């Protein structure tokens, strides 16, 4: 199937998910920011996915994936890999859909997020390796145990669930000049981009990355999936490489109009600005998208732009240390 046809198919799946995952998944508000709008001389809106159940958009994709499983797969349970947010979304979706969930994670993942995953009822297995290797190990365990592996991003049903964000945004504010989205594995921006390219092609889709973890960015520049050296970043939600054959890579090639890299200092400043202006504690990945808008402020003067705040920050001590 061509990428263009894939985008149309994803839109159809997004419409289906948009109806099916209600009322389990919350419709999050698209909130106008007077402070940012005045500061940047543009009309700034925040899609408040940090107010989603479990504090992240990941609950959307997880809910959509589990609802589509047949009874046999539900009974056997599923395996996934996560640095935190996807695992929490899967754990709650599993609880609500009566599907046992096992989450593989790196030992370096946030202990608070892993505790939250366990609190939602999922089993957690930690490995002393990097996030991409954890994903590969989790997929291998699923094959061995005869269970479905649910990728955090490399799954069309997960992508369709994330794409419901864009359908909501267009219902809430039909005329948007640009949407800023943080990118890790590409599932979020693939879903959002597929909807916007079909329904609002004039809206620019801006992909945003931390300089310390630019796997998809580097792959897009090379026009094939590449490995990159990564370092510690406030944006742990976007950290990690791309698995070979990822379906999100060609989708990102098609839907992303512009790419923006931001430094750790810029992410930190964006988190501080959101806390000061909006009184929200957002996670580093959400800070990446805000930082990209701040960096490109002059480009969007007089325009109407939206930023997807993909998750809230539950790591209070790390947050306080980061912005002090």
């Amino acid at each position: 199937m061509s990428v263009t046809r894939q985008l149309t198919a994803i839109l159809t799946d997004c419409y289906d998910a948009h109806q099916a995952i209600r009322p389990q998944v919350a419709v999050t508000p698209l909130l106008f920011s007077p402070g940012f709008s005045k500061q940047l001389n543009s009309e700034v809106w925040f899609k408040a996915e940090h107010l989603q159940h479990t504090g992240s958009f990941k609950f959307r994709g997880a809910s959509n994936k589990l609802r589509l499983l047949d009874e046999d797969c539900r009974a056997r349970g599923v395996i996934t890999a996560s640095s935190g947010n996807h695992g929490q979304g899967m754990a709650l979706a599993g609880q609500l859909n009566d599907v046992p969930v096992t989450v593989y994670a790196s030992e370096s993942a946030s202990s608070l997020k892993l505790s939250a995953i366990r609190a939602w009822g999922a089993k957690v297995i930690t490995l002393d390796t990097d996030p991409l290797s954890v994903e590969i190990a989790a997929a291998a365990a699923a094959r061995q145990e005869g269970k479905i592996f649910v990728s955090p991003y490399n799954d069309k049903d997960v992508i369709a669930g994330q794409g419901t964000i864009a359908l909501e945004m267009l219902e809430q504010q039909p005329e948007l000049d640009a949407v800023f989205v943080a990118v890790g594995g590409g599932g979020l921006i693939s879903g959002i981009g597929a909807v916007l390219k079909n329904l609002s092609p004039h809206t620019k889709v801006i992909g945003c990355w931390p300089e310390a973890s630019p796997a998809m960015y580097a792959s897009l520049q090379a026009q094939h999936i590449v490995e990159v050296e990564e370092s510690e970043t406030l944006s742990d939600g976007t950290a990690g490489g791309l698995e070979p054959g990822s379906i999100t890579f060609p989708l990102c090639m098609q839907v992303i109009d512009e790419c923006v890299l931001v430094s750790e200092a810029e992410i930190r400043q964006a988190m501080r600005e959101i806390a000061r202006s909006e009184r929200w504690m957002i996670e580093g990945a959400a800070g990446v998208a805000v930082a990209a808008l701040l960096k490109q402020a002059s480009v969007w003067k007089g325009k109407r732009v939206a930023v997807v705040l993909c998750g809230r920050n539950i790591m209070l001590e790390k947050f306080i240390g980061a912005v002090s």
Side-chain angles (χ1 to χ4, degrees):
M1 182 186 297
S2 69
V3 175
T4 302
R5 289 179 62 190
Q6 277 185 294
L7 295 181
T8 302
I10 290 171
L11 175 64
T12 299
D13 290 342
C14 287
Y15 274 127
D16 182 44
H18 192 46
Q19 300 299 320
I21 62 179
R22 304 287 174 261
Q24 180 169 293
V25 174
V27 175
T28 57
L30 182 66
L31 300 172
F32 175 71
S33 173
F36 271 79
S37 296
K38 182 177 180 180
Q39 177 185 347
L40 304 183
N41 294 313
S42 57
E43 190 175 316
V44 179
W45 296 76
F46 291 122
K47 181 58 172 168
E49 280 299 293
H50 63 302
L51 303 180
Q52 185 56 258
H53 303 312
T54 73
S56 166
F57 73 94
K58 293 286 191 177
F59 181 56
R60 293 175 182 267
S63 297
N64 193 50
K65 180 64 180 180
L66 295 193
R67 79 172 178 91
L68 293 169
L69 297 179
D70 60 35
E71 291 186 9
D72 182 57
C73 290
R74 286 169 177 263
R76 280 181 286 162
V78 300
I79 292 177
T80 191
S82 173
S83 63
N85 287 339
H86 174 67
Q88 290 180 71
M90 286 292 296
L92 177 56
Q95 182 185 104
L96 295 175
N97 290 279
D98 196 26
V99 179
V101 174
T102 299
V103 179
Y104 279 67
S106 171
E107 290 182 355
S108 63
S110 160
S111 60
L112 287 175
K113 287 188 176 182
L114 296 182
S115 294
I117 293 170
R118 293 187 180 98
W120 288 118
K123 178 182 178 181
V124 176
I125 297 174
T126 58
L127 302 177
D128 184 17
T129 187
D130 62 275
L132 180 56
S133 297
V134 170
E135 286 186 36
I136 294 171
R143 289 192 297 270
Q144 184 176 5
E145 297 176 28
K147 298 179 179 180
I148 295 292
F149 172 70
V150 183
S151 169
Y153 60 91
N154 194 24
D155 185 296
K156 68 179 186 65
D157 300 326
V158 170
I159 290 170
Q162 323 304 27
T164 60
I165 292 172
L167 291 176
E168 289 179 11
M169 292 173 70
L170 292 177
E171 292 171 351
Q172 295 160 331
Q173 178 50 262
E175 294 298 326
L176 291 170
D177 294 301
V179 175
F180 288 75
V181 186
V183 184
L188 174 62
I189 202 166
S190 291
I192 289 175
V195 171
L196 293 177
K197 291 305 172 189
N198 278 286
L199 301 182
S200 186
H202 67 279
T203 303
K204 298 297 184 183
V205 179
I206 315 298
C208 316
W209 288 264
E211 292 175 351
S213 183
M216 179 66 82
Y217 172 85
S219 297
L220 293 175
Q221 302 308 304
Q223 298 190 13
H224 61 89
I225 295 176
V226 298
E227 293 185 11
V228 296
E229 183 176 347
E230 299 197 347
S231 53
E232 186 175 356
T233 175
L234 289 167
S235 182
D236 63 326
T238 63
L242 298 173
E243 60 186 278
S246 172
I247 62 173
T248 55
F249 174 68
L251 293 173
C252 285
M253 288 281 290
Q254 186 81 0
V255 304
I256 297 176
D257 296 302
E258 297 183 29
C259 300
V260 183
L261 287 174
V262 294
S263 68
E264 293 301 298
E266 288 169 329
I267 298 169
R268 190 177 296 112
Q269 178 63 24
M271 295 169 72
R272 184 186 294 116
E273 290 292 335
I274 285 286
R276 180 181 296 124
S277 175
E278 311 300 326
R279 301 298 189 266
W280 295 327
M281 287 180 59
I282 59 171
E283 69 175 5
V288 168
V290 178
L293 172 60
L294 291 171
K295 192 169 188 173
Q296 285 207 331
S298 61
V299 177
W300 301 103
K301 282 185 179 181
K303 302 294 185 179
R304 180 178 291 151
V305 300
V307 180
V308 178
L309 299 182
C310 52
R312 69 170 175 252
N313 195 320
I314 67 170
M315 296 177 287
L316 180 58
E317 292 182 2
K318 182 176 180 180
F319 177 82
I320 292 173
V323 301
S324 62

